[in-house]
Amino acid sequence: MPTIHEPAAITAEMKEAKKDYLDRHTPHVVAPAKVKKGEAFGVTVRMGQDYVHPDLPEHFIQSLQLFRGDKLLGSTTYAPGAATVGRETPSGFQQVTFTIALDAPATLSAISYCTMHGLWTSDPVKVEVE
Amino acid sequence: MPTIHEPAAITAEMKEAKKDYLDRHTPHVVAPAKVKKGEAFGVTVRMGQDYVHPDLPEHFIQSLQLFRGDKLLGSTTYAPGAATVGRETPSGFQQVTFTIALDAPATLSAISYCTMHGLWTSDPVKVEVE
Amino acid sequence: MPTIHEPAAITAEMKEAKKDYLDRHTPHVVAPAKVKKGEAFGVTVRMGQDYVHPDLPEHFIQSLQLFRGDKLLGSTTYAPGAATVGRETPSGFQQVTFTIALDAPATLSAISYCTMHGLWTSDPVKVEVE
Amino acid sequence: MPTIHEPAAITAEMKEAKKDYLDRHTPHVVAPAKVKKGEAFGVTVRMGQDYVHPDLPEHFIQSLQLFRGDKLLGSTTYAPGAATVGRETPSGFQQVTFTIALDAPATLSAISYCTMHGLWTSDPVKVEVE
């Protein structure tokens, strides 16, 4: 099957040595630590923490997907340059915010696809429910 | 071609008579009236203003797409119940927020797809650039 | 809403004058004229009859969608160069074959999206059921 | 990250014990063993060999994706019942045929997503080029 790059499988040395490459290819899930049962809230999937991924015709992030455990909640697809008017360095991090609700505590994660460097997954993020 | 329901083509009488049906099937684009050239900002595509669309296995919003003029900026796809833990009445409006940037004034619009009632388009929204 | 180019709205003169441009941007639905009730069969959505659309990073067909009346049956998304190893002139027409079944006569149509020239629809194709 | 069920990781005993469940959730790549360099050919991604997956609103195959190595070639998304007129037992295997070309030998594989049972991958299939 296609390689899926996973943060937990990358050593600290590697993370330091290939910092910008790894950072900009890793999706991050940004969600509240605790939410109210059944109430809608926003979850952002964002590429990179410190480095911005290019958005070039021959090298762009084609999709961002949000999962609750093994369940796909939403999947966003892009064409190259679509969101960044074709600059080599986009003016912001590529991100999408989904609106979801939870009935029980959940682990959220994301998968991204880069047209040059393939599939990448986020670290899991736990959300408590009160 | 498939019917694309368009707000401008629906009479005021019809809008009043089938208020909830029409409202919950119409995507709305929520964006700032003016943005800075080349700076990233959020654009939300949201189903309904006053009425919430169901999220049932046999009747759900499968996709939301954002366009700049004729150009597709992003497309989000859902599975039924994905974002609403299977309630008949979701706790919030179905919506997704894209991050985009503009170099010139633009007209944004959205297309949604309901698995029972087909394709719908938003009113256009103009965004100025300073 | 975004322009949707429709074959029926294009004059014969225009079709002759801009033959290759129009041909390669128009999706075609290829289906049997008659099928057996409830039996699976293949329906191909293909870009162009005589001219092949480019598959370049800055100009490619990003999606092909098949509809039965107003109902979306399947939607296929591509990244640039994905299916054609990056040649300027792909070796074949871009196409996808869906497997569907019908209980009653139906009208099938397709919508395609080109990253430079936007949304296009096919002529409708009727399929009888016996 | 979400679980990705992989045929190679499933024991022969398990395959026998849960034969129909495993078979109908596993995508298969059907491609020629050898193709001509640069010539277009069809590759089918099909769910199941002997057992047909249901296509019910609350349990359906939402997507089929074809990869060449780590590169995504095409991704097809479905709504429930879209291709099978809502029967519990569809009349045929869910499948999609992509048209691709190769310049060099390649390993093709597929990933599918079931709305109840998550992500599954195919066995890899090698295609020689002459």
Side-chain angles (χ1 to χ4, degrees):
Chain A
M1 72 179 209
T3 309
I4 304 190
H5 303 87
E6 202 180 349
I10 300 170
T11 62
E13 289 75 17
M14 184 64 100
K15 274 181 186 157
E16 194 50 41
K18 304 184 100 185
K19 210 171 169 180
D20 58 351
Y21 169 76
L22 292 172
D23 180 81
R24 69 167 56 101
H25 279 97
T26 304
H28 298 274
V29 173
V30 185
K34 187 178 283 194
V35 298
K36 286 203 198 305
K37 186 176 172 176
E39 271 192 22
F41 64 100
V43 178
T44 296
V45 178
R46 163 180 159 160
M47 293 306 295
Q49 292 274 51
D50 301 311
Y51 297 86
V52 173
H53 192 281
D55 182 26
L56 294 167
E58 63 277 11
H59 186 197
F60 68 102
I61 301 298
Q62 195 194 359
S63 70
L64 297 177
Q65 298 186 305
L66 177 64
F67 287 83
R68 182 182 73 229
D70 292 341
K71 187 167 177 61
L72 179 64
L73 298 188
S75 178
T76 299
T77 305
Y78 301 93
T84 52
V85 281
R87 273 187 216 78
E88 182 146 0
T89 307
S91 61
F93 294 89
Q94 190 170 353
Q95 63 177 47
V96 62
T97 302
F98 299 96
T99 297
I100 71 167
L102 296 175
D103 268 0
T107 299
L108 304 176
S109 65
I111 296 180
S112 62
Y113 178 74
C114 165
T115 55
M116 279 188 70
H117 303 103
L119 293 165
W120 296 71
T121 185
S122 73
D123 273 323
V125 168
K126 286 190 185 168
V127 181
E128 297 300 323
V129 169
E130 64 181 6
Chain B
M1 73 179 208
T3 309
I4 304 191
H5 303 87
E6 203 180 350
I10 300 170
T11 63
E13 290 75 16
M14 185 63 99
K15 275 182 186 157
E16 193 50 41
K18 303 183 101 185
K19 209 172 171 180
D20 58 349
Y21 169 76
L22 292 172
D23 180 82
R24 69 166 57 100
H25 279 98
T26 304
H28 298 274
V29 172
V30 185
K34 188 178 285 195
V35 298
K36 285 201 198 307
K37 186 175 172 177
E39 270 193 23
F41 64 100
V43 177
T44 296
V45 178
R46 164 179 158 161
M47 294 306 298
Q49 291 275 52
D50 301 311
Y51 296 85
V52 174
H53 191 281
D55 182 26
L56 294 168
E58 63 279 10
H59 185 197
F60 68 102
I61 301 297
Q62 195 195 357
S63 70
L64 296 176
Q65 297 186 306
L66 177 65
F67 287 82
R68 181 182 74 230
D70 292 341
K71 188 168 177 59
L72 179 64
L73 298 187
S75 177
T76 299
T77 305
Y78 300 93
T84 51
V85 281
R87 274 186 216 78
E88 182 146 359
T89 306
S91 60
F93 294 88
Q94 190 170 353
Q95 62 177 46
V96 62
T97 302
F98 299 97
T99 297
I100 72 167
L102 295 176
D103 268 0
T107 299
L108 304 176
S109 65
I111 296 181
S112 62
Y113 178 74
C114 165
T115 56
M116 279 189 70
H117 303 103
L119 293 165
W120 296 70
T121 185
S122 72
D123 274 322
V125 168
K126 286 189 185 167
V127 181
E128 298 300 325
V129 168
E130 63 181 6
Chain C
M1 73 179 208
T3 310
I4 305 191
H5 302 88
E6 202 180 348
I10 300 170
T11 63
E13 289 75 17
M14 184 64 99
K15 275 182 187 158
E16 193 51 40
K18 304 184 100 187
K19 209 171 171 180
D20 58 350
Y21 169 75
L22 292 172
D23 179 82
R24 68 165 60 98
H25 279 98
T26 304
H28 298 274
V29 172
V30 185
K34 188 177 282 194
V35 298
K36 285 201 198 309
K37 186 177 172 175
E39 271 192 23
F41 64 99
V43 177
T44 296
V45 179
R46 163 181 159 160
M47 294 306 296
Q49 291 274 51
D50 301 312
Y51 296 86
V52 173
H53 192 280
D55 182 26
L56 294 167
E58 64 278 10
H59 185 197
F60 68 101
I61 301 298
Q62 194 193 359
S63 70
L64 297 177
Q65 297 187 305
L66 177 64
F67 287 83
R68 182 183 72 228
D70 292 341
K71 189 168 177 58
L72 179 63
L73 298 188
S75 178
T76 299
T77 305
Y78 301 93
T84 51
V85 280
R87 274 186 215 80
E88 182 146 358
T89 307
S91 61
F93 294 88
Q94 189 169 353
Q95 62 176 47
V96 61
T97 303
F98 299 96
T99 297
I100 70 168
L102 296 175
D103 268 359
T107 299
L108 304 177
S109 65
I111 295 181
S112 62
Y113 178 73
C114 165
T115 55
M116 281 188 69
H117 303 101
L119 293 165
W120 296 70
T121 185
S122 72
D123 275 322
V125 168
K126 286 192 184 167
V127 180
E128 298 299 324
V129 168
E130 64 181 6
Chain D
M1 72 179 211
T3 310
I4 304 190
H5 303 88
E6 201 180 350
I10 300 170
T11 62
E13 290 75 17
M14 185 63 99
K15 275 182 186 157
E16 192 51 40
K18 303 184 99 184
K19 209 172 171 180
D20 57 350
Y21 169 76
L22 292 172
D23 179 82
R24 69 165 58 99
H25 279 97
T26 304
H28 298 273
V29 173
V30 185
K34 188 178 285 194
V35 298
K36 286 200 197 308
K37 187 175 171 176
E39 272 192 22
F41 64 99
V43 178
T44 296
V45 178
R46 163 179 159 160
M47 294 307 296
Q49 292 274 51
D50 301 310
Y51 296 85
V52 173
H53 192 280
D55 182 25
L56 294 167
E58 64 278 10
H59 185 198
F60 68 102
I61 300 298
Q62 195 196 358
S63 70
L64 297 177
Q65 298 186 305
L66 177 64
F67 287 83
R68 180 183 74 230
D70 291 341
K71 188 168 177 58
L72 179 63
L73 298 187
S75 178
T76 299
T77 305
Y78 300 92
T84 51
V85 280
R87 273 186 216 80
E88 182 146 1
T89 307
S91 60
F93 294 88
Q94 190 171 354
Q95 62 176 47
V96 60
T97 303
F98 300 96
T99 298
I100 71 168
L102 295 176
D103 268 0
T107 299
L108 304 176
S109 65
I111 296 181
S112 61
Y113 179 73
C114 165
T115 56
M116 280 187 70
H117 303 100
L119 293 165
W120 296 70
T121 186
S122 72
D123 275 322
V125 167
K126 286 190 185 168
V127 180
E128 297 301 324
V129 168
E130 64 179 7

